[in-house]
Amino acid sequence: MKRSILAVGMFIALGLAACGRNGSAPETGPSPYPGRDKLWFDAHTRERAAEVKWCNDNNGYVNPLQPSQRADQAAAWDPSCDAASDSWNAAMRSAKTGPGAF
């Protein structure tokens, strides 16, 4: 009886270990939070602010109005900059006004 309980316990532990995730995102760019998507930035507003600041300071966005500099922009471009920017813009569009705002 004790052996079967031990075996079941080991299978459960092994199953949980196999299904676990470490929570790290794949590294895909030079920014502080590479590989994150818009939903992640929606849930992590402090990290979103840091990502947007980094992207603004380091040309993390591709500017379509400057086609002559596309090669330089492509070297610094990071998809997570776009995700953080989209998250920030969506938050600003749906911001609720507090009491005394007007």
Side-chain angles (χ1 to χ4, degrees), residues 13-29:
L14 186 64
L16 290 175
C19 294
R21 293 180 50 192
N22 63 2
S24 63
E27 299 289 328
T28 59

Side-chain angles (χ1 to χ4, degrees), residues 31-34 36-37 40-55 80-81 83-85 87-88:
S31 70
Y33 300 100
R36 305 306 203 270
D37 62 351
W40 189 87
F41 284 115
D42 288 344
H44 298 88
T45 56
R46 186 178 306 135
E47 289 84 357
R48 177 182 67 200
E51 181 78 10
V52 169
K53 181 177 180 346
W54 184 92
C55 294
S80 63
C81 286
S85 178
S87 173
W88 186 84

Side-chain angles (χ1 to χ4, degrees), residues 1-100:
M1 181 69 178
K2 288 183 182 181
R3 275 187 145 171
S4 63
I5 292 174
L6 181 62
V8 169
M10 289 181 70
F11 282 124
I12 289 173
L14 186 64
L16 290 175
C19 294
R21 293 180 50 192
N22 63 2
S24 63
E27 299 289 328
T28 59
S31 70
Y33 300 100
R36 305 306 203 270
D37 62 351
K38 180 184 174 296
L39 294 176
W40 189 87
F41 284 115
D42 288 344
H44 298 88
T45 56
R46 186 178 306 135
E47 289 84 357
R48 177 182 67 200
E51 181 78 10
V52 169
K53 181 177 180 346
W54 184 92
C55 294
N56 287 334
D57 293 343
N58 296 294
N59 297 323
Y61 304 108
V62 174
N63 187 349
L65 301 176
Q66 296 176 339
S68 62
Q69 297 177 358
R70 287 229 173 118
D72 295 334
Q73 292 176 11
W77 176 72
D78 189 1
S80 63
C81 286
D82 293 335
S85 178
D86 290 346
S87 173
W88 186 84
N89 287 329
M92 291 299 111
R93 281 192 306 272
S94 67
K96 307 283 189 277
T97 57

